[in-house]
Amino acid sequence: MNDKELALIYVWDAYCGWCYGFSKSLKAFHENHPELPLTVLSGGLFMGRKKLPIASFSYISEANKRISQLTGAEFGTPYQTLFEEGTFIMDSEAAAKGFSALRFFAPERAYRLASSIQRAFYYEGKSLSDPATYREIAIDNNLDPKAVLAQLEDVASTKDAYADFAKVQQLGVQSYPTLLLQKDNEFIGLGGGVMTTEKIEARLRSIIS
């Protein structure tokens, strides 16, 4: 089988700190393999009964420390202030809709847009439920901000977000981040969490060799 018959699927959530930490490894791996198409799917981590004030999740503080230690990811002062204040509600549905609106205009840059979204939250402390956040991300990525905001308000973005959630369920992915290699109709785990680029590369070689 040649590389053209392989593809990557990355399952993430905008409010997943481990995804934020994994971003450097995945960025380097993705840049190393332009021959592998990459699909990015939103997982829907904080929805329904989990859509609660950030202070409700006592494990996040310790997790963030470990993410920084293990991956070098930096959590910005505005985010730390937001976290300490404690009332902010992480809404993965709103974030997935925002991602969908951005992705609509630049699907080939889906991973870069996902990274921009996570930086907006984890470094700049911005709400991913606020349309203004996506306006800024659109401008930073040379997209038409008015068009992105119009797409965000369109029901199509909601449908697209839920289509992502459904695909993730079909794939059986229950933890984020998860990077999969699609080989024909087979989906093989490549990595996630604190895996380095080198380890992902090694895993890929073991599968395709």
Side-chain angles (χ1 to χ4, degrees):
M1 172 170 290
N2 60 54
D3 289 345
K4 291 183 179 179
E5 296 170 302
L6 303 172
L8 300 171
I9 297 175
Y10 176 53
V11 182
W12 75 306
D13 188 274
Y15 286 118
C16 167
W18 290 104
C19 295
Y20 180 56
F22 185 58
S23 61
K24 289 183 181 179
S25 294
L26 180 56
K27 180 178 185 291
F29 178 75
H30 182 36
E31 290 175 350
N32 289 346
H33 295 281
E35 79 282 2
L36 297 177
L38 174 63
T39 297
V40 182
L41 301 175
S42 296
L45 185 58
F46 296 101
M47 294 173 58
R49 289 179 294 177
K50 288 188 175 181
K51 198 166 69 173
L52 298 167
I54 198 168
S56 303
F57 303 96
S58 58
Y59 64 86
I60 289 179
S61 180
E62 191 59 35
N64 288 347
K65 291 177 185 176
R66 285 189 55 75
I67 291 165
S68 291
Q69 291 169 354
L70 296 171
T71 70
E74 185 177 354
F75 294 85
T77 300
Y79 165 78
Q80 298 286 6
T81 300
L82 189 75
F83 180 79
E84 289 166 10
E85 197 272 332
T87 60
F88 179 78
I89 294 176
M90 296 183 294
D91 182 349
S92 291
E93 178 184 345
K97 287 168 61 177
F99 174 58
S100 172
L102 291 163
R103 180 177 61 185
F104 179 82
F105 295 99
E108 75 286 354
R109 286 188 278 153
Y111 175 69
R112 180 177 173 183
L113 294 169
S115 295
S116 294
I117 289 172
Q118 289 216 291
R119 179 177 173 82
F121 178 63
Y122 282 109
Y123 193 80
E124 300 170 358
K126 294 176 180 175
S127 170
L128 303 183
S129 295
D130 185 352
T133 299
Y134 300 102
R135 182 181 186 281
E136 293 176 11
I137 292 172
I139 292 170
D140 288 343
N141 286 274
N142 298 312
L143 300 176
D144 181 345
K146 290 184 179 179
V148 167
L149 291 185
Q151 184 69 17
L152 178 62
E153 294 302 318
D154 195 297
V155 67
S157 289
T158 301
K159 291 180 178 178
D160 192 46
Y162 275 87
D164 272 18
F165 302 153
K167 289 175 187 175
V168 171
Q169 286 190 331
Q170 289 169 4
L171 290 168
V173 174
Q174 297 181 329
S175 63
Y176 320 116
T178 292
L179 180 64
L180 300 171
L181 178 71
Q182 182 176 359
K183 188 177 180 184
D184 291 331
N185 294 320
E186 187 179 6
F187 299 91
I188 306 163
L190 272 185
V194 299
M195 280 187 75
T196 62
T197 303
E198 292 74 21
K199 287 184 178 179
I200 303 171
E201 293 281 7
R203 173 72 173 145
L204 176 65
R205 288 194 298 271
S206 73
I207 294 170
I208 64 176
S209 60

